[in-house]
Amino acid sequence: MHNDVVRTANPTARQKAVRQSVSLPAKLATQVRTMAKSRRLSANRMLVELIENGIETEKHKQQEFFELAERFRNATDPEEVKELGDQMGRMVFGN
């Protein structure tokens, strides 16, 4: 394991980096390199940004689900209960 200092989204924050080996499908690796080049970043930095964005997106989706579940639990109108239940189903299982 290799530790180093890495830039983060917050330039004043410093974190120790952990070297991590990840295998990517060739098409995905090409997309990452293309994105990195267009933004003048290293492929490594591009991966870090994509992962950070993905984690934030997942946290946001989870928060939305918990808020929807709370509304579902508190709902008393049968039509609203059905609609909220349908929304929760779509969030969990997709369209």
Side-chain angles (χ1 to χ4, degrees):
M1 183 170 24
H2 172 57
N3 290 329
D4 202 351
V5 175
V6 67
R7 289 180 290 155
T8 63
N10 180 356
T12 59
R14 295 286 190 200
Q15 298 177 0
K16 287 188 177 183
V18 176
R19 188 161 183 82
Q20 185 75 46
S21 176
V22 178
S23 296
L24 300 175
K27 185 176 179 178
L28 186 57
T30 299
Q31 289 176 313
V32 170
R33 284 192 301 271
T34 301
M35 291 173 72
K37 187 175 182 179
S38 72
R39 294 188 50 198
R40 298 181 184 197
L41 298 172
S42 68
N44 186 69
R45 182 68 206 148
M46 190 74 246
L47 284 169
V48 170
E49 287 190 11
L50 289 168
I51 292 167
E52 287 173 341
N53 290 341
I55 289 171
E56 285 303 312
T57 299
E58 286 300 314
K59 286 179 183 177
H60 181 73
K61 285 169 55 176
Q62 186 179 43
Q63 183 63 35
E64 284 181 353
F65 178 79
F66 288 136
E67 290 171 3
L68 183 60
E70 184 66 26
R71 287 179 47 211
F72 179 77
R73 280 194 298 272
N74 294 329
T76 56
D77 176 43
E79 285 294 319
E80 184 181 14
V81 168
K82 182 182 180 332
E83 177 59 33
L84 293 171
D86 289 347
Q87 286 180 27
M88 287 177 62
R90 284 191 297 273
M91 287 181 88
V92 172
F93 302 111
N95 295 334

